[in-house]
Amino acid sequence: MNVVCTIITGNYGGYALALHDSILKFNKNQHFAVFVSKDVLNSNILNIIKSRANFSVYEFSDLNSTELALQLKDKYCESYHDAYRWGMKPIFINFLLNKYDHVIYVDSDIFFFNDYSFLFEELKKSSVLLSPHWRCSNPKIDLQNFKLNFLDGIYNGGFVGASKEGISAMNYWAELCLFNCEVNRGQGFFVDQKYLDILASRFRNVNNIRHKGCNVANWNQVDCKRILHQENEVVINNKYPIIFIHFTTSFLRGVLLGSDKVLMPYLEKYRDTLFKYTGNDIIKIFFNKEEDLKKKRLSKKHFSIKGFVKKVKRKMLNW
């Protein structure tokens, strides 16, 4: 048996349901598991979940917690909860591997647009399956994005698949997260994600997805060219249909304000699905936040100019 899983805090239940909707479109019997790392799901979300088959929700007390899991919780849960969520990915994956043959973890802001079953087929011959960022591979085209291959990691932590053969690799990944889970590019650290680069050199059968329609995001516009076909279908590099998109804030910015406007129909579909469960329009929220940031920048600039004028006046008076 196979399972798709994600990790959320209690206020992100709607995101888990939207992700589940996108999965059900291609496999109505797909098992789906959610680990709630903090707070609780509201009653409306819980009632919807209870009405769905093969949908399981777990809390820390359900995980038959290992010493490693307890240490992660003690170190990060209260002081740096994001690090706790990230570090719990391999812990949750290994917990599910006690019940399932193959586990695919995805971030809760991912949404599927085409059949993903081939990813589980890839896991039949893999201990771990990783998703490259596919950041720009040519420094002459986009130097900053090219550098991030080496600063933030070759692989994106928003997707990780594992089979039972990958249990030891997941344990190792969790140990590294316990050791250090911070953004410190100068020292070679980028939360849980940068550690994925080392797995292939330490464990057998660590493979990566070659299909460039997986994990479409703002960071891979150069190497994953969006080609518009009929009926607003976008094909990556004129070859790969979009399997899933990672709806980060940078993705929204790229579609709404940048050069990725061809993916607007995909964003609208995601927005509409999410709205059913959250009542929030993520496009409106994005623009509201952008407006707030613009006001803050203008205000900061205004005070900076006022401060400069005061300094000039003081100097003139001293003359």
Side-chain angles (χ1 to χ4, degrees), residues 84-244:
Y84 172 61
R85 286 189 300 105
W86 298 325
M88 285 301 292
K89 290 178 196 176
I91 299 290
F92 190 39
I93 288 171
N94 274 355
F95 168 77
L96 292 171
L97 283 171
N98 289 318
K99 181 178 179 180
Y100 297 95
D101 298 313
H102 306 102
V103 178
I104 285 177
Y105 166 87
V106 290
D107 281 352
S108 62
D109 57 353
I110 276 172
F111 196 87
F112 289 86
F113 291 92
N114 275 297
D115 186 9
Y116 59 88
S117 59
F118 70 94
L119 296 170
F120 281 118
E121 291 300 314
E122 288 291 321
L123 268 177
K124 290 180 180 179
K125 53 189 178 184
S126 306
S127 61
V128 178
L129 186 63
L130 301 174
S131 175
H133 279 107
W134 299 119
R135 292 188 185 277
C136 181
S137 56
N138 187 341
K140 295 179 181 179
I141 297 176
D142 187 342
L143 179 59
Q144 183 57 34
N145 201 250
F146 174 78
K147 288 179 179 178
L148 289 175
N149 282 303
F150 313 102
L151 296 173
D152 291 2
I154 297 296
Y155 303 107
N156 180 249
F159 174 102
V160 177
S163 64
K164 292 184 186 298
E165 187 188 354
I167 288 174
S168 58
M170 293 296 98
N171 276 328
Y172 176 63
W173 184 24
E175 288 171 357
L176 294 178
C177 290
L178 177 63
F179 168 70
N180 191 314
C181 199
E182 65 171 342
V183 177
N184 190 340
R185 294 181 175 96
Q187 294 295 317
F189 297 113
F190 191 80
V191 295
D192 66 309
Q193 185 171 273
K194 191 73 170 68
Y195 295 130
L196 296 174
D197 290 1
I198 201 174
L199 296 186
S201 66
R202 300 301 190 271
F203 299 93
R204 290 167 53 96
N205 299 323
V206 176
N207 297 317
N208 59 274
I209 304 170
R210 305 303 301 177
H211 192 300
K212 291 187 178 179
C214 294
N215 224 346
V216 174
N218 182 256
W219 51 73
N220 51 37
Q221 291 185 56
V222 174
D223 280 24
C224 299
K225 292 184 176 13
R226 291 73 151 116
I227 310 297
L228 183 62
H229 282 209
Q230 293 180 348
E231 299 179 358
N232 286 330
E233 180 189 7
V234 174
V235 178
I236 303 301
N237 292 346
N238 222 17
K239 178 180 180 181
Y240 302 99
I242 291 178
I243 304 301
F244 64 91

Side-chain angles (χ1 to χ4, degrees), residues 175-319:
E175 288 171 357
L176 294 178
C177 290
L178 177 63
F179 168 70
N180 191 314
C181 199
E182 65 171 342
V183 177
N184 190 340
R185 294 181 175 96
Q187 294 295 317
F189 297 113
F190 191 80
V191 295
D192 66 309
Q193 185 171 273
K194 191 73 170 68
Y195 295 130
L196 296 174
D197 290 1
I198 201 174
L199 296 186
S201 66
R202 300 301 190 271
F203 299 93
R204 290 167 53 96
N205 299 323
V206 176
N207 297 317
N208 59 274
I209 304 170
R210 305 303 301 177
H211 192 300
K212 291 187 178 179
C214 294
N215 224 346
V216 174
N218 182 256
W219 51 73
N220 51 37
Q221 291 185 56
V222 174
D223 280 24
C224 299
K225 292 184 176 13
R226 291 73 151 116
I227 310 297
L228 183 62
H229 282 209
Q230 293 180 348
E231 299 179 358
N232 286 330
E233 180 189 7
V234 174
V235 178
I236 303 301
N237 292 346
N238 222 17
K239 178 180 180 181
Y240 302 99
I242 291 178
I243 304 301
F244 64 91
I245 291 177
H246 203 153
F247 285 94
T248 61
T249 300
S250 67
F251 178 85
L252 269 66
R253 184 172 290 110
V255 173
L256 298 172
L257 301 175
S259 58
D260 229 359
K261 291 179 174 58
V262 71
L263 292 175
M264 187 65 187
Y266 294 81
L267 173 55
E268 290 174 338
K269 183 174 182 180
Y270 180 60
R271 184 268 314 272
D272 294 345
T273 306
L274 198 55
F275 185 82
K276 292 190 302 182
Y277 304 114
T278 66
N280 296 325
D281 184 331
I282 58 171
I283 294 177
K284 284 186 178 179
I285 291 171
F286 172 84
F287 280 120
N288 288 339
K289 286 182 178 178
E290 287 294 307
E291 187 62 29
D292 288 342
L293 286 172
K294 184 179 179 181
K295 288 178 181 177
K296 286 179 181 178
R297 285 193 292 266
L298 288 172
S299 177
K300 188 175 180 180
K301 184 177 180 181
H302 172 72
F303 283 113
S304 178
I305 292 171
K306 283 183 69 177
F308 174 74
V309 170
K310 284 181 179 179
K311 286 181 181 179
V312 171
K313 284 182 176 180
R314 281 198 297 268
K315 286 184 177 180
M316 290 177 69
L317 288 171
N318 289 334
W319 291 342

